[in-house]
Amino acid sequence: MSSTKSIVRQILFSVVILFIVHGIARNVDVIYGHFLSHLCFLFLSVWTSWLLASVFIQSKRVDPSDKAVFITGEAKFGLKLNSNRCLIMKLFGKGCDTGFGNSLAIQLEEIGFLVFAGCLFPEGNGAQKLITSKNIRVISLDVTKEESVAEAVIQVEEQLRTERKVRMCMLYVTTFNNLALWGIVNNAGIGHYSGIDWSAQGVDVYSSQLDVNTLGTVRTTKLFLPLLRATKDSRVIVVASMASRLVFPGLTGYSMSKYAVRAFGDGLRREQRPYGINVSIIEPAMYNTSMTDTEVCLNNLKSHWNKTPELVKQSIGVSKFERLYETVHSFLLMKRNEVQEVLDAMIDSLTSEEPKCFYRVGGFKEKIAFYLLLLLPDELQDFFVDNSAFDYILKLIQNKRDR
């Protein structure tokens, strides 16, 4: 579903609720009930007006011809934890081959941006395909290494200087002398499905996700900020997740890293606003990419269970593993195929003259269910996100979708 269609459905939903609340407000005699009903009516009126404005008042687009964007590669779920180095090598092996980062680089180039694609292995198949594009430059990058990110900054600066000279010589004009880094997209990420005390001893499951998803974003942003401050109205895109708002079974470590990266994005936006840097946080639902491959994710869950010490397994019980396995399997069936929805949000945050602070991306039903769940008291949230209840709800939704 396109973003416009989604907004139209939200407007229709809001209008229906608005008339219901208005009817209650007119017929309630109790003073507090009357006041509360009118307050709800006012809120829904403002919300509906904002949605209508989103459809009919389109933000102007920037000219991409003198702008460059740096994108960090995407990783995936289900990585082996033999050693830290082995993890990182497997992590970014397909970072430029598939996923949001690869598609975003291609689409931004088509729009007219100069694109820098960060990959750990520039000789990989995906990176080599990007290299053939006229305005995409592949740069070696490991977001877990400070020196690698620093080297990427140097390469971007050098290539921008070179590109300015080349364009000026070819076109005999000076308009491209303003070519500068316009934005960075922090898209690199990994995840693990695991119980809290599953897997081998230690906290590698947690530290690996934090190192890439959170600290990788911090490293990249921090070192690129001087370049971004030199460009008026520049952009920083932080890819978080709906899991940064609600912790789902088996995804505690992943949610920790996304909660933290969302907090970083909030602080970054407020601190950098005086310098003219716009910060947008993308919060996608679960989409069908290499990172959410069902077989890989379920094997990842099994792997962590198999590595769990026997004494811990006995205290947990096999039934707990089996129940979480079924819940994760049902959860993965809910992933959306409309990946372009996420790409549209990223592109809008880079091309709109007035980008949003948050882009919460997902289908209409997912958004309604998710935000209604967030409004519930914590005790009720715990009940609905409990493995058995959550599994039942997911299967019910999936059965309706299949019909």
Side-chain angles (χ1 to χ4, degrees):
M1 182 190 299
S2 68
S3 59
T4 301
K5 287 182 179 179
S6 178
I7 291 174
V8 169
R9 292 187 65 172
Q10 290 179 58
I11 291 172
L12 294 175
F13 179 80
S14 298
V15 169
V16 172
I17 300 298
L18 189 148
F19 277 107
I20 292 173
V21 172
H22 183 60
I24 294 172
R26 294 186 62 182
N27 293 285
V28 171
D29 294 327
V30 181
I31 185 169
Y32 293 111
H34 192 71
F35 172 75
L36 185 60
S37 298
H38 273 89
L39 190 63
C40 292
F41 179 75
L42 176 63
F43 171 78
L44 285 167
S45 299
V46 173
W47 174 250
T48 305
S49 300
W50 181 83
L51 290 171
L52 286 168
S54 300
V55 175
F56 297 109
I57 304 176
Q58 298 296 326
S59 175
K60 293 182 179 180
R61 299 294 159 181
V62 301
D63 177 13
S65 60
D66 60 347
K67 296 175 177 61
V69 175
F70 181 83
I71 306 171
T72 63
E74 179 178 321
K76 61 194 297 184
F77 278 89
L79 307 173
K80 295 182 180 178
L81 289 165
N82 296 331
S83 66
N84 190 53
R85 186 58 193 165
C86 180
L87 166 71
I88 299 305
M89 290 179 67
K90 291 179 178 294
L91 166 65
F92 291 99
K94 293 189 176 181
C96 295
D97 290 64
T98 58
F100 298 136
N102 181 275
S103 301
L104 180 64
I106 294 170
Q107 292 187 30
L108 288 177
E109 188 215 15
E110 291 174 352
I111 292 172
F113 286 98
L114 174 65
V115 180
F116 296 102
C119 299
L120 182 62
F121 297 115
E123 68 275 10
N125 292 333
Q128 289 301 309
K129 290 178 182 178
L130 292 178
I131 286 175
T132 61
S133 300
K134 181 180 178 182
N135 287 316
I136 297 180
R137 310 287 183 266
V138 173
I139 290 181
S140 178
L141 177 71
D142 180 346
V143 297
T144 67
K145 306 295 182 185
E146 188 91 8
E147 59 274 17
S148 176
V149 181
E151 179 60 30
V153 174
I154 293 172
Q155 289 187 48
V156 168
E157 288 182 295
E158 291 177 349
Q159 293 198 34
L160 283 173
R161 283 195 292 269
T162 302
E163 190 68 25
R164 290 189 199 106
K165 294 176 181 178
V166 170
R167 291 187 178 190
M168 289 176 64
C169 291
M170 291 179 63
L171 299 174
Y172 301 98
V173 294
T174 60
T175 55
F176 291 113
N177 194 43
N178 295 323
L179 179 66
L181 184 66
W182 170 253
I184 61 172
V185 181
N186 290 293
N187 181 60
I190 63 169
H192 290 278
Y193 280 103
S194 173
I196 287 177
D197 57 343
W198 295 13
S199 199
Q201 296 293 336
V203 293
D204 284 349
V205 171
Y206 298 93
S207 60
S208 61
Q209 293 176 93
L210 289 166
D211 198 22
V212 177
N213 301 352
T214 307
L215 297 180
T217 297
V218 175
R219 288 186 193 99
T220 305
T221 304
K222 184 178 178 181
L223 291 176
F224 273 101
L225 275 178
L227 274 179
L228 293 170
R229 288 195 194 101
T231 306
K232 183 181 178 182
D233 201 31
S234 56
R235 311 295 163 90
V236 176
I237 315 303
V238 176
V239 180
S241 167
M242 282 192 177
S244 70
R245 305 249 174 201
L246 188 66
V247 182
F248 295 98
L251 280 175
T252 302
Y254 181 74
S255 289
M256 284 171 59
S257 68
K258 292 301 183 179
Y259 267 78
V261 85
R262 178 166 62 85
F264 172 72
D266 277 337
L268 181 71
R269 183 181 67 253
R270 289 159 187 163
E271 285 192 18
Q272 299 305 315
R273 191 186 299 275
Y275 301 100
I277 298 177
N278 296 281
V279 179
S280 295
I281 301 174
I282 313 291
E283 294 182 323
M286 185 169 56
Y287 282 82
N288 189 10
T289 68
S290 60
M291 192 172 178
T292 56
D293 180 85
T294 300
E295 183 180 359
V296 172
C297 292
L298 292 176
N299 286 339
N300 179 239
L301 185 71
K302 287 180 183 178
S303 174
H304 288 303
W305 174 255
N306 292 335
K307 292 175 183 177
T308 304
E310 286 301 321
L311 286 176
V312 179
K313 281 185 179 179
Q314 290 174 16
S315 68
I316 294 172
V318 177
S319 60
K320 173 69 175 178
F321 162 72
E322 293 172 346
R323 192 167 67 172
L324 184 56
Y325 184 91
E326 288 300 319
T327 299
V328 170
H329 186 256
S330 299
F331 185 56
L332 289 167
L333 292 175
M334 299 306 300
K335 57 191 174 186
R336 293 179 61 78
N337 292 318
E338 296 82 357
V339 177
Q340 188 60 43
E341 293 173 347
V342 183
L343 298 175
D344 287 343
M346 293 178 174
I347 291 171
D348 186 79
S349 65
L350 288 166
T351 59
S352 173
E353 286 192 354
E354 298 177 352
K356 300 175 184 177
C357 295
F358 285 92
Y359 290 83
R360 297 176 178 111
V361 190
F364 179 70
K365 292 179 181 178
E366 286 90 343
K367 286 182 179 179
I368 292 296
F370 183 78
Y371 290 112
L372 285 178
L373 188 58
L374 286 179
L375 290 174
L376 293 176
D378 292 335
E379 291 80 6
L380 285 177
Q381 286 186 29
D382 291 346
F383 171 77
F384 284 112
V385 181
D386 174 77
N387 285 348
S388 53
F390 191 55
D391 189 31
Y392 175 78
I393 294 169
L394 289 174
K395 287 181 177 178
L396 183 65
I397 296 174
Q398 182 62 32
N399 288 337
K400 287 185 177 181
R401 177 182 287 184
D402 292 340
R403 290 174 190 172

